[in-house]
Amino acid sequence: MHPLLQGVKLVVFDLDGTLVDSVPDLAAAVDAALADDGLSARGEARVRDWVGNGSHKLIERALDDALGELPSAERQERGHARFLHHYGLAPNRLTRLYPGVREALDGLRAADMPLGLVTNKPQAFIAPILEGFGLADHFGLCLGGDALPQKKPDPAPLLHLARHFRVAPGDCLMVGDSRHDIEAGRRAGFRTLAVPYGYNHGEPVAASRPDALVESLAELV
């Protein structure tokens, strides 16, 4: 086990950019929603820099880029509804697990480590993705960005999991790929561990000063 896991009684994972590369499916849904609005596709490379703050912010950034200005509230809501529609049709067609993820989750479960998941992705899309990879049973509780009034980087979702599992925050570990994950973990009183391969708006996640950084989650076990 990784040294940071010493004394840890709950490990909480982010989803997008940490466990799975979901950008190909997100980008396809974004571009389909833009096409419905008569706008040109933005492409996977741009979407890769826009994810991490929830679906509303994702479509706002896409519309802003396509229009050259912030969208009206009405256009934003229409675009968001179309995005959810298209993404709901195929949330797991092009999404892939990162190397080392299955080994880490299997190893932690074999060690009887309780696992949770906190993502800013809407709750409805979590189960289809985890079930598609046969990982749904690994997690005792999963929270999406619309499960509570607050989402990361607010610490509330992490503290909710700590209470659910009856574990003190100082005995919990937050694992993510972005500054929002590290900030949420720090504010919640969790230990923090980052992976460098995910989505952090083009910035190195090491700049957020997590307690540890691993190139692959397989290093946890």
Side-chain angles (χ1 to χ4, degrees), residues 86-171:
H86 289 294
Y87 190 54
L89 294 175
N92 211 22
R93 183 171 62 90
L94 303 172
T95 294
R96 296 291 180 266
L97 283 181
Y98 285 110
V101 168
R102 191 175 298 279
E103 294 89 334
L105 296 180
D106 286 348
L108 290 169
R109 186 167 73 159
D112 294 322
M113 176 69 75
L115 304 179
L117 188 144
V118 173
T119 173
N120 285 344
K121 179 189 291 294
Q123 187 81 25
F125 301 121
I126 299 174
I129 291 174
L130 294 180
E131 289 168 1
F133 293 112
L135 294 174
D137 291 341
H138 286 62
F139 297 94
L141 181 64
C142 299
L143 292 182
D146 51 355
L148 300 175
Q150 308 89 351
K151 60 177 180 283
K152 296 179 298 184
D154 194 290
L158 278 65
L159 292 172
H160 183 93
L161 260 73
R163 288 191 297 270
H164 174 83
F165 287 96
R166 299 181 181 179
V167 177
D171 295 331

Side-chain angles (χ1 to χ4, degrees), residues 51 61 75 81 142 154 179 212:
V51 299
R61 288 168 173 156
R75 196 165 200 172
C142 299
D154 194 290
R179 64 178 186 264

Side-chain angles (χ1 to χ4, degrees), residues 167-189:
V167 177
D171 295 331
C172 301
L173 174 67
M174 177 66 207
V175 182
D177 66 301
S178 77
R179 64 178 186 264
H180 305 296
D181 298 315
I182 304 309
E183 179 183 346
R186 186 176 293 118
R187 291 171 63 188

